[in-house]
Amino acid sequence: MTDLFTLSRIELRRIGLPLVTPFRTSFGSQTERDILLIRVELTAADGSTTEGWGECVALSEPSYSPEYVAAAQHVIEHHLAPRLIAGGPLHAGSVAPTLSKLHGHPMAKAALETAILDAQLRASNTTFAEYLATATGATMATTIPSGVSVGIHDTIDELLAAVQGYIDDGYVRIKLKIEPGSDIDHVGAVRDMIGPDTPLQVDANTAYRRTDGNHLRQLDQFDLLLIEQPLPEEDIIGHARLADEVDTPICLDESLVSAHGTADAIELGACEIANIKPGRVGGYLEAVKIHDLCVARGVPVWCGGMLETGIGRAANAGLAALPGFTLPGDISASTRFYAQDIVTNPITITDGYVTVPDTPGLGFEIDTSFLDSVTTASHTL
Ligand code: NPQ
Ligand code: MG
């Protein structure tokens, strides 16, 4: 079956990357990204060693979810990595079972699993898309449609200028961040500008309450693909009620932290569309399970984004090549967020599409000198 490896080295690196433009959501505005990367070395039975990289999507503060980058680093160093090493020979599929007695910290667990998956795929000269095709029997896409997430702007004029820029870049779907006070009129102005044929959706990042059904129903007039995470993450019944009150489909993001919970949310009528983010659910392998169960239940899925570097962006593009990803994801070009990427082959868009990586591993090559220049700390376990 799957070859086993010894986890012979784990390095943690923190990098700082400025954003090309501030990114404002209902939970705050960010001007730079503080990112934890993991580099592993796997040693095979024949003694050969392969490196792999994973990106932890935790933010610098616990604003999107309870995790934050310093906590992720701590739990990896003091709990996750020691348990993985003590568990003996491993492969990507054994990481989650080995760590399952440790609660929570899905983004930290995902980063470790991803680095091991990258190394394992490189060792077997396999692309991530080939691996997923073998694992699921699916026919994988070779290009995927690219959507863009647009932050909240103070004025409608500024918002329209930003959206027009992304339309000019070729993005095939626009997602607007919204919050109370920057919603109905902002969305209406964008719909007027882009016309009826460009797919449009909104993301509230939990900014509304159960009593906002009448307010949110005003969004129905704009023919949106979906409303993403309007209510707090724990409020599954609230989302189910909102799904009855509002015609626009309700999509969950923050609420979905496992395959099990996703199945329950769908059964309750709270999740008409699913945003799949591998970090939020504990890794790419759990993300595939969620994809599969959504397909079985007729729930469309799309791949979310966490302002990843070229490491996470390449992996997301491979995942989104699965056939259930029928809606454009938040997999934009690296240049949407960063002037320069830490990989030599950053994700780009051509005529609105991203090419699924076709080199072994997750499909990126590290730009070592640029990575070193943005590294703020590093530590080998
Ligand atoms: C979402 N991402 O779908 C997230 C939220 C998110 C692309 O909309 C810095 C500041 C990093 C804000 C990462 C997108 C962030 C951030 C992710 C917001 O909800
Ligand atoms: Mg979201």
Side-chain angles (χ1 to χ4, degrees):
M1 287 291 291
T2 314
D3 291 336
L4 293 175
F5 299 88
T6 300
L7 181 53
S8 41
R9 190 178 172 94
I10 304 178
E11 292 173 37
L12 305 181
R13 265 202 204 230
R14 289 276 282 279
I15 64 170
L17 286 178
L19 300 179
V20 292
T21 177
F23 188 55
R24 181 171 150 208
T25 69
S26 64
F27 59 75
S29 182
Q30 307 283 313
T31 56
E32 63 164 19
R33 195 81 170 82
D34 171 14
I35 302 173
L36 173 65
L37 303 178
I38 300 185
R39 178 181 177 276
V40 298
E41 288 178 9
L42 296 186
T43 303
D46 66 2
S48 61
T49 292
T50 313
E51 74 165 6
W53 291 82
E55 172 171 356
C56 180
V57 299
L59 305 187
S60 57
E61 290 193 295
S63 47
Y64 166 83
S65 78
E67 292 185 274
Y68 59 99
V69 64
Q73 182 164 349
H74 187 279
V75 78
I76 289 168
E77 275 184 46
H78 296 281
H79 302 279
L80 306 181
R83 190 163 295 221
L84 267 189
I85 291 163
L90 51 67
H91 61 98
S94 63
V95 173
T98 299
L99 300 179
S100 66
K101 289 271 160 56
L102 301 174
H103 289 250
H105 302 284
M107 293 173 178
K109 290 174 177 173
L112 272 171
E113 184 193 89
T114 304
I116 290 165
L117 179 60
D118 182 45
Q120 167 185 317
L121 293 173
R122 289 177 193 262
S124 62
N125 205 34
T126 306
T127 72
F128 187 32
E130 287 166 350
Y131 168 87
L132 291 174
T134 304
T136 65
T139 301
M140 306 295 285
T142 54
T143 64
I144 54 172
S146 181
V148 64
S149 177
V150 185
I152 296 169
H153 285 72
D154 289 339
T155 69
I156 288 177
D157 282 350
E158 288 167 349
L159 173 64
L160 294 180
V163 171
Q164 187 60 54
Y166 298 126
I167 296 284
D168 295 344
D169 290 339
Y171 290 104
V172 301
R173 184 227 66 191
I174 303 291
K175 160 169 145 181
L176 303 179
K177 293 293 192 175
I178 59 167
E179 66 182 359
S182 302
D183 49 17
I184 313 302
D185 50 347
H186 286 234
V187 177
V190 169
R191 174 53 89 200
D192 280 348
M193 184 183 79
I194 66 179
D197 296 334
T198 300
L200 181 64
Q201 64 192 55
V202 296
D203 185 1
N205 289 109
T206 75
Y208 296 89
R209 295 297 171 261
R210 286 186 179 193
T211 48
D212 288 325
N214 280 331
H215 179 73
L216 290 171
R217 210 169 32 224
Q218 297 174 81
L219 291 170
D220 284 343
Q221 64 189 301
F222 304 126
D223 189 28
L224 305 180
L225 285 173
L226 57 91
I227 302 175
E228 182 179 348
Q229 197 69 43
L231 306 181
E233 60 204 77
E234 308 82 0
D235 195 3
I236 302 302
I237 296 293
H239 283 103
R241 291 184 184 159
L242 203 56
D244 285 337
E245 292 174 2
V246 177
D247 290 337
T248 306
I250 301 297
C251 170
L252 296 182
D253 173 0
E254 283 89 333
S255 293
L256 305 179
V257 296
S258 68
H260 189 97
T262 302
D264 287 358
I266 292 169
E267 182 156 338
L268 286 166
C271 181
E272 299 172 286
I273 296 177
N275 170 331
I276 297 182
K277 283 182 184 165
R280 195 193 60 226
V281 304
Y284 285 88
L285 305 183
E286 184 77 2
V288 173
K289 289 187 200 164
I290 295 177
H291 162 273
D292 293 349
L293 76 86
C294 286
V295 169
R297 289 160 175 76
V299 170
V301 310
W302 56 283
C303 185
M306 292 294 289
L307 281 55
E308 291 89 346
T309 69
I311 295 176
R313 223 164 265 282
N316 287 348
L319 177 71
L322 283 168
F325 285 83
T326 53
L327 293 168
D330 281 344
I331 307 174
S332 44
S334 289
T335 52
R336 155 68 184 92
F337 294 109
Y338 304 113
Q340 189 173 349
D341 205 330
I342 57 168
V343 300
T344 58
N345 56 341
I347 294 290
T348 56
I349 75 164
T350 306
D351 298 329
Y353 280 68
V354 165
T355 299
V356 175
D358 61 357
T359 56
L362 298 173
F364 55 83
E365 291 306 325
I366 299 291
D367 181 341
T368 308
S369 61
F370 183 65
L371 175 62
D372 287 345
S373 75
V374 296
T375 296
T376 54
S378 64
H379 180 55
T380 300
L381 303 186

